[in-house]
Amino acid sequence: MIGGIDTHTDVHQAAVIDTIGRHLATEAFPTTSEGYRLLLTWLHSHGQVLTVGMEGTGSYGAELARHLRANQITVVEVDRPDRRARRAAGKSDPVDAYAAATAVLSGRANGTPKERDGTVEAIRTLRVVRASAIKARTQTINQLKSLIITAPAATRETLRSLTITELIRRLTASRPGSDLTTPAAAVKLALKRLAKRYQHLSEEIADADTELRVLITHTAAQLLALPGVGTETAGQLLVTAGDNPDRLVSGILRPPVRSRACPSLLGPH
């Protein structure tokens, strides 16, 4: 039999069909460790599980996909268009689950999902934090510059010609005072707080870069040795390829990286 799973935040809807496409059963399971165990038992109760089609293996279904692979179940990524094709008929989780199984049986779905249980997944997770810190730091410096533009002349004249490094250093060392009844005093306090926030975010980014470099060196040291490839570029390449780059048909991403399945391309694990 072939399984299909429609993934959600709290409940996954599973369905099974036989090898000629007949609908056998459908059942909902909670997105918990016990729910995953019950879902797997339920699948096996209907016969030999050949493959399970699932949409969202990189989001809502990430942990379930790991659980199924750990129990020797082949998981196939089902693209969202397979669900849109029947959207006019109305939303139905059981129908979506059956559609995922049917997409596998017909051959419309044959993508190998990224494995998310190796070092590359750790790199992806840390890059999420780094990216948000960079975005927040950019927002902080923009707010700081905006406040300087509208600040009283005495404050504006002393700050607007400074470089970012000099500006942050001067503002974090400043003593704005405790009297906040005037705009001049309030803006000085606001500028100091923004400068300290910028400084904190810079430290967070630097820590993330150090951690990422260790992981990338462990995973694919030869990437960092390439001209023009730093931590950010190497991390993006690895995340794009995933922990199992052998699933990619194109060879564009494969030469610089290596996985457990391709020991000649990645560094030691």
Side-chain angles (χ1 to χ4, degrees):
M1 46 74 65
I2 295 172
I5 301 175
D6 183 36
T7 61
H8 298 280
T9 304
D10 300 314
V11 174
H12 293 330
Q13 185 74 37
V16 288
I17 64 175
D18 61 20
T19 53
I20 60 174
R22 290 180 299 189
H23 293 189
L24 301 179
T26 180
E27 187 71 47
F29 298 89
T31 56
T32 62
S33 297
E34 178 64 10
Y36 302 147
R37 187 190 67 78
L38 292 173
L39 190 154
L40 182 62
T41 300
W42 180 81
L43 287 173
H44 284 307
S45 72
H46 292 280
Q48 181 183 0
V49 185
L50 298 178
T51 308
V52 171
M54 184 190 309
E55 185 231 310
T57 58
S59 54
Y60 296 125
E63 180 59 22
L64 177 57
R66 281 191 285 263
H67 180 78
L68 294 176
R69 285 197 303 268
N71 286 275
Q72 290 72 55
I73 300 294
T74 300
V75 178
V76 172
E77 176 74 31
V78 177
D79 294 331
R80 189 173 291 273
D82 290 319
R83 297 177 64 184
R84 286 203 300 264
R86 52 152 298 278
R87 192 61 63 195
K91 180 72 176 75
S92 170
D93 293 343
V95 171
D96 285 345
Y98 276 126
T102 302
V104 174
L105 178 63
S106 67
R108 295 195 312 274
N110 55 17
T112 302
K114 289 182 180 179
E115 294 180 3
R116 295 180 178 271
D117 52 4
T119 307
V120 174
E121 177 63 8
I123 292 171
R124 185 195 70 82
T125 302
L126 291 177
R127 290 187 77 252
V128 170
V129 179
R130 181 184 185 277
S132 66
I134 288 176
K135 183 177 180 180
R137 187 176 66 173
T138 300
Q139 183 182 46
T140 298
I141 195 64
N142 288 339
Q143 291 171 338
L144 196 152
K145 290 179 178 179
S146 178
L147 280 180
I148 290 175
I149 290 173
T150 59
T155 300
R156 186 175 66 252
E157 293 300 322
T158 59
L159 298 176
R160 66 181 181 181
S161 62
L162 299 178
T163 65
I164 292 178
T165 301
E166 293 169 338
L167 182 63
I168 298 301
R169 183 167 55 247
R170 178 175 296 188
L171 289 175
T172 53
S174 66
R175 296 176 179 272
S178 57
D179 182 9
L180 303 179
T181 58
T182 64
V187 76
K188 289 179 181 178
L189 178 60
L191 289 172
K192 178 168 185 173
R193 288 181 175 172
L194 285 172
K196 291 177 70 175
R197 181 185 301 173
Y198 182 94
Q199 196 173 58
H200 173 75
L201 289 168
S202 295
E203 292 171 357
E204 184 177 325
I205 293 166
D207 289 343
D209 283 337
T210 299
E211 294 156 354
L212 285 166
R213 178 166 286 273
V214 171
L215 289 174
I216 293 169
T217 300
H218 171 74
T219 307
Q222 66 272 38
L223 270 179
L224 294 175
L226 295 174
V229 177
T231 302
E232 174 63 13
T233 302
Q236 181 60 69
L237 285 171
L238 287 170
V239 170
T240 300
D243 276 302
N244 52 328
D246 49 290
R247 78 188 204 288
L248 300 173
V249 175
S250 171
I252 295 176
L253 290 173
R254 295 178 68 179
V257 297
R258 158 168 120 229
S259 75
R260 291 161 298 196
C262 297
S264 63
L265 297 179
L266 277 187
H269 283 266

